[in-house]
Amino acid sequence: MNKELKEALDILEKEKEISKETLFEAIENSLITACKQHFGKADNVKVEIDRDTCDFLCYAEKEVVESEEDVEDDCLQIPLKLAQEISKKAQTGDTIHVEIRSKEFGRIATQNAKNVILQKIREEERSVVYNQYFEKEKDVVTGVVQRYLGRNISVNLGKADALLNESEQVKGENFKPTERIKVYILEVKNTPKGPRILVSRTHPELVKRLFESEVTEIRDGTVEIKSIAREAGSRTKMAVWSNNPNVDAVGACVGMNGSRVNAIVDELRGEKIDIVCWDENPGNLIQNALSPAKIVAVYADPDERTAKVVVPDYQLSLAIGKEGQNARLAARLTGYKIDIKSETQAKDAPGFRYEDYVNDYEEDEYDEDYEDEDVLYESDGEVLSGEAYTGDGFLEAQDEGTYDENAGAGFLGEEEDA
C-alpha cells in the first residue's frame, strides 16, 4: 500500500474539499504527460491506480516483432527476445504490457507531471469555492473587512474574498479592518482567476434576509413579507402578513420589547424600520404605509395605480416626511402614485373631496352583488364603490415642522426631526 500517497489524498480531500476521484484522475494525467515528455509520445501508455491501496501501475502497450531489425518504433514495438523476458508466453504479433517506472523519468518530465497535478488541484479548488458561494447568491453572509481598495472594500467571506463597491455601500458607514459585517451576495462570477463575488449593504433584500434569520415565524412561513421599500442608511418600510389569525405579523417581527427588530437595527447601524400590516384593500394598505401619519380619507384607483390622500392639517408634514421620504417610501411599498393634501387644501381640489365620489355613487343604481375594483376608503371604516380620480403625483412639502413619531402605529425607528 502506498501510505504516503493515501495520506496526502486524504488531507487534500478534507482541507480543499476535492474528491479523491478527481485527484486520481489528475495523477493519471500527470503520469501520461510525463511519459509523453520522456518518450516523445504516449498514445499507447495506460495508467491504473488502485482506489483502495493507492498503488499505481504505468505501462505501455507494445506489439511483439520477430527481431530488433523489425522494430520501427521503440515506443510501439518490442523484439520477441525482450518480450519473452517479460512474458514467456509472448509470441510474434502479440501485444504485451511493458511497465514504465516513474523513477526513470527525467527532471523536466517529473516537473511537468507535478505541474499537471498542481494545476488540476487549483482548478478544482476554484470550482469548489465557486459552487459553494453560487449556492449562497441572493443570500446574506457574514464577512470580515480586510482593507480598502480605493473607495471599494475587500471583505473576506472565509474561503473567498468579496468586493463591496462604493455604489453598494451605505453613506456614512465606516468600517475598520477585522470588523465583522453582514452583506448580501449580489452576484458570483466564475473567472480564470477564481470566483468574483460582488456584495451589497444597500439592497432591500438584505433587510428581508435579516428578518428571515431573526424571526422564526417568517422562516417557517407563518408570517410573509409582502413588500419592502428601503432608503439605505435612513429608513425602511416593510409590509407583513400573517397566514395564521392567531399570530400578529407586526408583533412577531418586533419581538419581546423590540428585541428582534432592535437586533436588525443594530446590524444596519441605526437605520429606522417601519413595520406595517399588509392589506388586500388598497385604501387600508396606503393608510398603513403612510404611518405614523393619521389619515382622514384615501381615494384609490387600482386600475391607474394612483391614490389621493387627505390628512389633517397638522399631519401634512408628518405624512409627507422629511424631504418627502415618508410619502416616497409609501409609494414604493404599495406601488401606487400617491398625492397628499391637507383637509384645507382638499376642500378646493377636485378629486379630493368626499362629495366628488358620493354624488356619483348616489346617481348610479346600486347592485348589492356588484363590487367595483375602485375603492373609496374612509378612516372610520366606511367603504364605497365609485369612479376614482386619477392624481397628478406627489405634492411637494410646502412647510416643515416637528412631529411625534409615536403618533402612529407600526413605527419602530428612533426619534428623528422632520
Side-chain angles (χ1 to χ4, degrees), residues 77-233:
Q77 297 173 326
I78 184 174
L80 180 60
K81 184 177 180 181
L82 294 178
Q84 289 180 340
E85 292 179 1
I86 299 172
S87 175
K88 294 180 179 180
K89 297 180 180 180
Q91 299 293 329
T92 302
D94 292 346
T95 299
I96 66 170
H97 294 169
V98 180
E99 184 179 357
I100 300 174
R101 298 185 181 277
S102 57
K103 294 181 180 180
E104 298 175 358
F105 294 155
R107 180 179 61 83
I108 296 177
T110 304
Q111 185 65 33
N112 287 341
K114 175 184 174 183
N115 291 338
V116 169
I117 295 176
L118 293 177
Q119 178 66 21
K120 185 64 175 178
I121 291 174
R122 283 193 292 267
E123 289 176 359
E124 286 300 314
E125 187 176 4
R126 286 196 292 264
S127 178
V128 168
V129 173
Y130 170 77
N131 292 332
Q132 179 180 345
Y133 287 99
F134 183 76
E135 293 175 355
K136 295 181 180 180
E137 197 175 61
K138 312 303 180 186
D139 204 353
V140 172
V141 295
T142 302
V144 178
V145 176
Q146 287 189 313
R147 61 189 179 277
Y148 278 82
L149 304 173
R151 295 185 177 181
N152 301 329
I153 302 176
S154 175
V155 181
N156 181 264
L157 303 181
K159 294 186 177 181
D161 291 340
L163 188 65
L164 180 61
N165 290 323
E166 182 185 9
S167 60
E168 299 297 337
Q169 297 175 29
V170 177
K171 292 182 179 179
E173 281 190 348
N174 294 312
F175 303 109
K176 298 178 180 178
T178 71
E179 188 174 357
R180 298 180 69 85
I181 60 173
K182 290 185 182 295
V183 291
Y184 177 78
I185 297 181
L186 283 176
E187 187 179 20
V188 181
K189 296 181 179 178
N190 198 6
T191 67
K193 295 184 178 180
R196 185 169 183 266
I197 306 172
L198 300 178
V199 295
S200 173
R201 286 277 296 177
T202 62
H203 203 283
E205 286 290 317
L206 173 63
V207 180
K208 185 176 181 180
R209 294 286 182 257
L210 290 175
F211 269 100
E212 287 176 354
S213 62
E214 190 71 30
V215 180
T216 308
E217 289 81 359
I218 295 179
R219 199 161 51 247
D220 63 21
T222 304
V223 175
E224 293 181 33
I225 299 176
K226 290 286 191 177
S227 180
I228 189 166
R230 184 186 184 202
E231 289 190 0

Side-chain angles (χ1 to χ4, degrees), residues 297-311:
V298 176
Y299 310 109
D301 184 354
D303 294 332
E304 298 292 334
R305 304 296 291 179
T306 59
K308 293 187 177 297
V309 178
V310 181
V311 299

Side-chain angles (χ1 to χ4, degrees), residues 255-275:
M256 183 75 69
N257 297 324
S259 59
R260 290 175 170 177
V261 73
N262 285 337
I264 297 171
V265 169
D266 292 342
E267 177 59 41
L268 298 177
R269 308 298 173 96
E271 182 176 318
K272 297 170 181 61
I273 301 176
D274 289 351
I275 304 176

Side-chain angles (χ1 to χ4, degrees), residues 222 242-249:
T222 304
S242 175
N243 294 314
N244 186 341
N246 298 321
V247 176
D248 177 23

Side-chain angles (χ1 to χ4, degrees), residues 282 300-304 371-376 383-388:
D301 184 354
D303 294 332
E304 298 292 334
E371 292 184 2
D372 199 331
E373 290 184 353
D374 296 342
V375 175
L376 163 63
V383 179
L384 300 174
S385 297
E387 183 179 359

